Each structure stands twice: as structure tokens, then as C-alpha cells.
Amino acid sequence: MSSTNIETLAETIQTARHIVAFTGAGMSTDSGIPDFRSPGGKWTQVKPVMFQDFISDHESRYEYWRQKSEGFEEFGTAEPNAGHRMLATWEKERGLSGIVTQNIDGLHQAAGSKSVIEIHGTAREVQCLRCGFRDKADDYCKYFLREQKVPACPACNAGLLKHATISFGQPLEASVLKAATALVRTADLMLVMGTSLVVEPAASLPVTAKQYGAKLVIVNRDATQHDSFADLVIRDNIAKTLTAIEAMLS
Ligand SMILES: [Zn+2]
């Protein structure tokens, strides 16, 4: 890790008034949550259930709940890492206005962050596609693991109950995307971490930030789509980088 880059970023953070963090899977790998879409990741071995199949076919719903309940056991025990905790501190003590995340693991909130926009929803909750009923996911996953049955919506007893996440083939929530774009437009520093910025809207949010005058800084282990477009790129571990910056600032 180049100490010059760390110094530059520390100075940028110190002078910024509206920092917006944009985080992806790489933010949570230090918490033991694998990046499902990376090469060798889970989605190269297990076929995710498409939203249309979930809607139309009971067997697909069963497969969905099987995968999600297994995954829930995996990350139900995951804890926020030093990177999550730094961002929560920066919201309190520095100019961090909020976080936009692609992650569905709820670890930013678990670390104490208040302003978090989850563009892919959250796997910590389930939602009824008919009546909008929402609840913590734990009991429904436990029910599935115990009974091997797809749980029904306890509120309307007719709608399909699904994790409150955006599945493959399911459109993003327009209101959530609008809130994310609005937040990004206020940024004077857009801090992108742990995402390769390939899929939408991840690909366009940094462009929007720059168009509205923000500096763009990318911290990621691998190269991203927007490296040449960024003001600063740090190719290193996120938790380690943020911890080094905080040490420099305090
Ligand atoms: Zn319902």
C-alpha cells in the first residue's frame, strides 16, 4: 500500500463536507461473507433462482428458500469488520453523509451506520410480494430448515414470501434508486469500495457523482471499470486501508 496514496486520501477526507461511501461485496469479505459472483464464487456452482421462476413455479420457490436458508446460517453469524466500523465512526465524527450499498448482509447497520441505502435490499428481512408485510428473516429460515416447506405470509396468507432482496431478473425499487442518486449528487467525495462497478446502477453512480462535482476515490483489491476515470485508486484491502487512514486522522 502506497503511503502517499493513504496520505492523499486522509487529506481529502479531512477537507470533505459530504462524503458518500458506495460499497459492494469486497466490503464484507473480511467478515467471512464470500463474494458470490467472483470467479470460483458460489454462483459459479449454484444456479440462483430467477425472479420470474420464483413467481411462477413452486419448485423454484422451494429451491430459492433452500439456498437462502443455507446462506442465512452462513451469514447470520457474520460480524461487521474494521472497515464497517470506520464508516460508522466517520458518520458520527467526520463528514460522511451516508452509504449506498449493494450488499444485502446488513453489516453497515450492525456496525452502527444510520444512513444506509440498500439498493439490492436486505436478506435480514422477508417481504410479502402481495401485501408488503415485512418481518425479520430468522424465524422463516428456521421454519424452512425444520419443516422443509416454503413459509406462507402470516399477514395475508395468500402472497408469496421472499427475502427483501432484489433477485436476479427483478427490477430495482425505483424509490430506492432515486434516493441513492439524490445522495450521490450531494457528495463532494465519492468513496467507492469493494465493487468492480460492472453492473448497473453501480456503473453509473460514480459517473453521476463526478458530474455533480465530487472527487472519485476507489479502494478495491482488483481493477474496476472506472479506475482511469477516478481521481485516486488504492488497490488494497479495505479494512486495512480505512484503519490506516483513521490512524492518520486521529
Ligand atoms: Zn402478505
Side-chain angles (χ1 to χ4, degrees):
M1 164 163 61
S2 149
S3 56
T4 327
N5 282 349
I6 295 290
E7 270 168 38
T8 309
L9 181 50
E11 278 163 21
T12 311
I13 285 171
Q14 206 159 27
T15 53
R17 290 285 160 269
H18 296 284
I19 306 167
V20 173
F22 180 46
T23 67
M27 189 81 214
S28 294
T29 44
D30 275 340
S31 294
I33 296 176
D35 183 354
F36 288 163
R37 293 178 207 216
S38 67
K42 188 170 178 174
W43 295 140
T44 57
Q45 298 147 29
V46 180
K47 199 166 171 278
V49 176
M50 298 297 289
F51 185 63
Q52 282 317 316
D53 297 331
F54 180 89
I55 298 291
S56 59
D57 170 41
H58 181 77
E59 255 176 57
S60 298
R61 283 196 285 282
Y62 182 89
E63 174 59 14
Y64 174 90
W65 272 94
R66 194 189 64 76
Q67 290 179 11
K68 284 290 178 176
S69 300
E70 265 179 21
F72 190 79
E73 284 194 315
E74 245 170 54
F75 83 48
T77 54
E79 303 269 355
N81 62 56
H84 294 108
R85 289 196 298 272
M86 282 307 139
L87 293 183
T89 305
W90 292 358
E91 187 181 22
K92 283 194 214 94
E93 295 171 9
R94 309 199 186 282
L96 185 83
S97 308
I99 299 169
V100 178
T101 187
Q102 295 177 288
N103 298 341
I104 56 171
D105 53 39
L107 290 181
H108 284 302
Q109 293 93 327
S113 287
K114 301 284 180 237
S115 170
V116 183
I117 299 173
E118 298 169 303
I119 53 176
H120 292 162
T122 177
R124 299 270 170 195
E125 292 182 3
V126 291
Q127 184 169 24
C128 172
L129 295 177
R130 181 170 176 266
C131 74
F133 167 83
R134 272 177 96 111
D135 202 356
K136 281 209 163 28
D138 309 46
D139 287 347
Y140 302 88
C141 290
K142 282 181 197 154
Y143 171 88
F144 178 84
L145 291 169
R146 194 175 62 234
E147 307 286 337
Q148 296 291 302
K149 269 190 212 157
V150 173
C153 171
C156 71
N157 211 26
L160 301 175
L161 206 57
K162 184 183 160 300
H163 281 72
T165 58
I166 305 295
S167 290
F168 289 91
Q170 184 178 4
L172 299 181
E173 291 271 352
S175 61
V176 174
L177 192 54
K178 208 174 153 190
T181 307
L183 179 65
V184 161
R185 283 180 184 175
T186 67
D188 56 5
L189 170 60
M190 173 91 163
L191 191 52
V192 173
M193 291 168 290
T195 163
S196 50
L197 301 173
V198 177
V199 293
E200 286 297 343
S204 8
L205 286 173
V207 179
T208 303
K210 278 214 85 164
Q211 277 170 348
Y212 281 77
K215 277 191 181 163
L216 176 63
V217 176
I218 298 174
V219 183
N220 201 47
R221 257 206 341 226
D222 306 310
T224 82
Q225 288 289 316
H226 286 324
D227 283 0
S228 58
F229 183 65
D231 296 283
L232 177 65
V233 177
I234 297 178
R235 274 200 203 148
D236 208 331
N237 177 280
I238 297 163
K240 191 175 119 194
T241 304
L242 298 194
T243 307
I245 288 167
E246 180 58 24
M248 211 167 269
L249 289 173
S250 54

